[in-house]
Amino acid sequence: MMRWCVRRRARALCLVLACLSVLLHLFLVLLTLSVYQTPSEPQVQLPSKTIRALTDPTVTPPMDSHGKAPSGLRPPGVSIMDVGGDRNMAARTGEESSVPKQDGAVKTLSETVKMECVNTPDLQPLKPNLTKMEALFKHPLYNVPGPPLQDDDWLLRMKPKVKEQELESHQWLSASEEGYDAVHLNNDVDTHPPWLRFHMGITRWQLYDPRDPNLHLLEDQLASDKIVSALQKTGGTQLKLVMSFPNYGQALLKPMKQERNEETNYNLYYFSDFERHNAEIAAYHLDRVLGFRRVPPAVGRLVDMIKEIKETTTDGKLAKTFFNSAVGNTCFYGQCSYYCSTEHAVCGRPRALEVSMAAMLPDLSLAPRRSWRSPWRRSYSRSKLAQWEKEKDYCDTVKKTPPYDEGTRLVDVIDMAILDFLMSNLDRHHYETFEKFGNDTFLIHLDNGRAFGRFSKDEPSILAPLEQCCRVRRSTLMKLQLLALPQHRLSDVMRASLSKDPLTTVAPLLSEQHLAALDRRLARVLKAVADCQERYSNAIYNDITDYPG
């Protein structure tokens, strides 16, 4: 009898355990499905009237948007960023720097890095669709004429022509320094190197004209010209170098610090984040796709750390920071406030280093710039909040404060906030303008290295200027609506635009996760504008009164 009871209890216990096992497996299945289920992409619902205005093929593009170009400028052409450009740049260094193969042959830097780069295991890069980018830049909205340019709307101007016997005194001849070209400059623009033409093309309204053929030459110089000097840039929190070319042009170099598909550590504060070389390049492309043209041209490049940095620098302190890593790669760390130590050294593969090369703006002695503290600057504290984070009516105070109380400065800041939100840049503490133009000019979008740090999370506080002030340019809104349409999808246009950069021969500059995040964030921006339009009748600042729709 006792044996029968024991068997019965054992049988019941086994039945209970079996049921618990089944329930546990079901729970794990449901948990797995909830984790790996892909959220649907946010859909942007545009009014039918807006869609018709954006896609109407009967609207013809207007004429040139910025008046007469400086004397001597060549006819409009195509740059490496422009659609239809058939130029295929290879990632290379100034003189095809190379590293020895094990078998004694020579392989280029790009081949070396290609072999050592790790591909994304989850999302493989999609093929760029150049047709969408082509159609976008041909759209009438990107060809709206601007105000006619007057003499005082150019940042720099050549001196007026002088008599032939006095011409010699108006020429500039470079000193015969080692490594530099003997350069003769005069009033003929054709004699000017690309960097000088870029400086001469800056106007009150933009850094460059996208149709200027010199943009092609400038990007080519940044990507391939011989480097004759490398010096560490003073100031700033992270490592940056000023690189010089034989024609006396200069570029700001930022080295690769983070892999393409690596996200910023969630435990880091925004002011402790790395600066990324691909973020500087992608910011230039995104700024242009949005039609702002306020980020200096930036191009990717592979540099030979020994030949083009260590052997060209005259900075003894910089040269002393070079060393070989445990696996034989060339490394250096320089001197700066953050991340300049052997633990955070910049290392090549084995001496090929990915960098961004951004065009330098005119010297401050020729074109002084004013630095403005952003009204929506973060506290840069681990415990304190900024004023705008505590006051709901903060924008009312800003609107009463010069220069935000008149002109376009407020919508300029909101343009900048939209750009920063799309690329997840929390580090916009200041912005600059050229002093010559006073308050009636554009904002220069400098220093974008901390953008594109995270693709899995958005930072809605970056949109505070838009959400608190509820004001946006009509031209900006219409371009955002255009980029939300399938035929001009922002991620597709950015993929195509970035494919023109030399570093794409190594790996795509932005991962597919970052490109998908652009579409997601664009939907959020349009939702914020729609909410503002429901609350206020004057949310749209009409800066294109002659444009239909």
Side-chain angles (χ1 to χ4, degrees):
M1 182 67 179
M2 185 176 296
R3 187 177 298 172
W4 179 83
C5 291
V6 171
R7 289 179 179 173
R8 185 175 181 181
R9 290 176 182 174
R11 203 177 292 123
L13 181 60
C14 290
L15 184 61
V16 171
L17 291 176
C19 292
L20 287 174
S21 177
V22 172
L23 290 174
L24 182 60
H25 279 79
L26 288 174
F27 175 74
L28 290 175
V29 170
L30 292 174
L31 181 63
T32 303
L33 288 175
S34 64
V35 171
Y36 289 99
Q37 184 178 9
T38 304
S40 59
E41 186 176 311
Q43 298 296 320
V44 182
Q45 298 296 332
L46 301 182
S48 58
K49 181 180 179 182
T50 301
I51 295 177
R52 284 196 298 271
L54 293 175
T55 59
D56 187 1
T58 62
V59 181
T60 56
M63 299 299 290
D64 190 6
S65 61
H66 288 283
K68 186 179 179 181
S71 175
L73 194 64
R74 296 177 183 178
V78 181
S79 79
I80 64 170
M81 293 272 309
D82 281 324
V83 292
D86 55 357
R87 173 167 158 267
N88 187 11
M89 290 179 56
R92 60 191 184 275
T93 57
E95 292 185 345
E96 288 298 324
S97 302
S98 58
V99 292
K101 290 182 180 179
Q102 293 182 353
D103 58 2
V106 173
K107 60 182 178 182
T108 63
L109 289 177
S110 59
E111 290 174 341
T112 305
V113 177
K114 271 185 183 180
M115 293 174 63
E116 299 186 9
C117 277
V118 180
N119 291 328
T120 312
D122 45 355
L123 285 180
Q124 293 299 322
L126 300 179
K127 186 177 180 180
N129 186 343
L130 298 179
T131 305
K132 288 189 176 183
M133 185 177 71
E134 192 173 307
L136 180 74
F137 290 131
K138 288 181 178 179
H139 193 279
L141 196 56
Y142 282 77
N143 295 277
V144 175
L149 290 175
Q150 308 299 324
D151 285 342
D152 60 352
D153 289 332
W154 297 97
L155 181 65
L156 301 173
R157 299 295 280 169
M158 295 296 297
K159 289 183 179 181
K161 292 184 178 181
V162 294
K163 295 180 180 180
E164 186 174 350
Q165 59 266 28
E166 299 176 6
L167 184 61
E168 196 67 29
S169 63
H170 284 263
Q171 290 184 333
W172 176 76
L173 174 63
S174 70
S176 56
E177 298 181 33
E178 184 179 356
Y180 289 87
D181 297 335
V183 180
H184 294 266
L185 293 182
N186 51 39
N187 285 16
D188 184 3
V189 176
D190 288 335
T191 67
H192 299 169
W195 63 267
L196 183 55
R197 295 192 204 182
F198 165 58
H199 291 176
M200 298 296 295
I202 298 174
T203 71
R204 181 185 296 274
W205 312 115
Q206 58 185 3
L207 279 177
Y208 58 87
D209 185 338
R211 292 169 297 280
D212 184 357
N214 181 63
L215 197 58
H216 170 108
L217 302 176
L218 177 64
E219 292 163 340
D220 196 18
Q221 171 184 292
L222 295 171
S224 61
D225 267 20
K226 178 181 178 181
I227 294 173
V228 297
S229 173
L231 296 173
Q232 185 161 347
K233 189 178 186 300
T234 58
T237 59
Q238 300 193 35
L239 179 64
K240 294 182 280 287
L241 302 179
V242 176
M243 316 300 283
S244 298
F245 304 117
N247 61 9
Y248 290 84
Q250 290 186 322
L252 184 66
L253 179 151
K254 289 190 178 182
M256 180 177 185
K257 279 276 192 178
Q258 198 168 313
E259 296 293 339
R260 303 276 205 282
N261 309 304
E262 185 180 353
E263 283 199 280
T264 298
N265 190 325
Y266 284 96
N267 293 312
L268 285 180
Y269 285 92
Y270 51 87
F271 49 82
S272 301
D273 193 10
F274 287 121
E275 289 189 341
R276 287 164 284 275
H277 72 303
N278 61 320
E280 290 288 353
I281 304 166
Y284 165 53
H285 287 253
L286 179 60
D287 175 86
R288 182 170 177 180
V289 166
L290 294 175
F292 292 156
R293 300 185 282 276
R294 302 165 196 167
V295 173
V299 175
R301 177 169 177 160
L302 284 174
V303 299
D304 186 318
M305 297 174 65
I306 298 297
K307 184 176 181 180
E308 297 182 294
I309 299 180
K310 186 177 181 180
E311 293 181 357
T312 63
T313 186
T314 57
D315 186 344
K317 293 181 179 179
L318 174 63
K320 287 180 180 179
T321 67
F322 277 78
F323 65 96
N324 288 332
S325 70
V327 294
N329 290 333
T330 301
C331 305
F332 77 104
Y333 51 87
Q335 293 181 328
C336 61
S337 303
Y338 293 161
Y339 304 127
C340 282
S341 64
T342 53
E343 293 80 10
H344 300 99
V346 175
C347 295
R349 295 171 175 167
R351 51 192 268 187
L353 177 66
E354 286 189 33
V355 300
S356 65
M357 301 281 281
M360 300 285 282
L361 295 177
D363 190 87
L364 293 175
S365 62
L366 295 174
R369 301 192 300 270
R370 179 172 178 179
S371 179
W372 302 80
R373 181 188 174 102
S374 171
W376 283 271
R377 180 185 186 272
R378 296 179 183 276
S379 65
Y380 287 80
S381 168
R382 295 180 177 87
S383 57
K384 296 180 181 179
L385 293 177
Q387 186 178 355
W388 60 268
E389 295 177 285
K390 297 182 289 185
E391 299 179 10
K392 293 183 178 179
D393 57 350
Y394 176 76
C395 188
D396 293 338
T397 303
V398 174
K399 289 178 179 178
K400 299 175 184 176
T401 306
Y404 308 99
D405 58 343
E406 61 180 1
T408 62
R409 182 60 62 88
L410 184 60
V411 289
D412 288 335
V413 170
I414 291 173
D415 279 350
M416 186 168 60
I418 292 172
L419 172 70
D420 286 335
F421 177 72
L422 290 174
M423 59 186 185
S424 192
N425 179 23
L426 290 83
D427 192 37
R428 187 71 68 188
H429 45 84
H430 285 78
Y431 62 86
E432 295 186 8
T433 59
F434 289 109
E435 284 188 2
K436 176 182 178 179
F437 300 135
N439 295 333
D440 189 20
T441 185
F442 66 96
L443 313 186
I444 310 172
H445 299 164
L446 294 174
D447 200 6
N448 304 288
R450 283 178 171 156
F452 295 104
R454 294 175 184 165
F455 50 76
S456 59
K457 182 180 182 296
D458 302 337
E459 184 49 61
S461 64
I462 302 176
L463 277 183
L466 171 61
E467 295 176 337
Q468 292 180 356
C469 299
C470 274
R471 192 81 164 146
V472 66
R473 272 190 172 91
R474 179 174 175 237
S475 61
T476 298
L477 174 59
M478 295 191 72
K479 287 171 184 173
L480 294 176
Q481 291 171 333
L482 191 66
L483 291 166
L485 298 175
Q487 60 267 38
H488 302 296
R489 191 182 302 277
L490 177 57
S491 60
D492 294 336
V493 175
M494 274 293 289
R495 185 185 298 106
S497 184
L498 290 169
S499 71
K500 298 287 186 177
D501 189 86
L503 278 185
T504 306
T505 61
V506 176
L509 282 165
L510 287 183
S511 67
E512 288 300 319
Q513 294 99 321
H514 277 300
L515 293 173
L518 287 173
D519 293 330
R520 183 180 70 239
R521 291 166 186 161
L522 174 58
R524 183 155 191 161
V525 174
L526 292 175
K527 176 66 166 56
V529 175
D531 292 343
C532 285
Q533 288 180 287
E534 290 182 1
R535 293 160 51 197
Y536 302 99
S537 59
N538 63 341
I540 308 302
Y541 172 75
N542 191 0
D543 60 325
I544 45 173
T545 54
D546 296 333
Y547 191 81

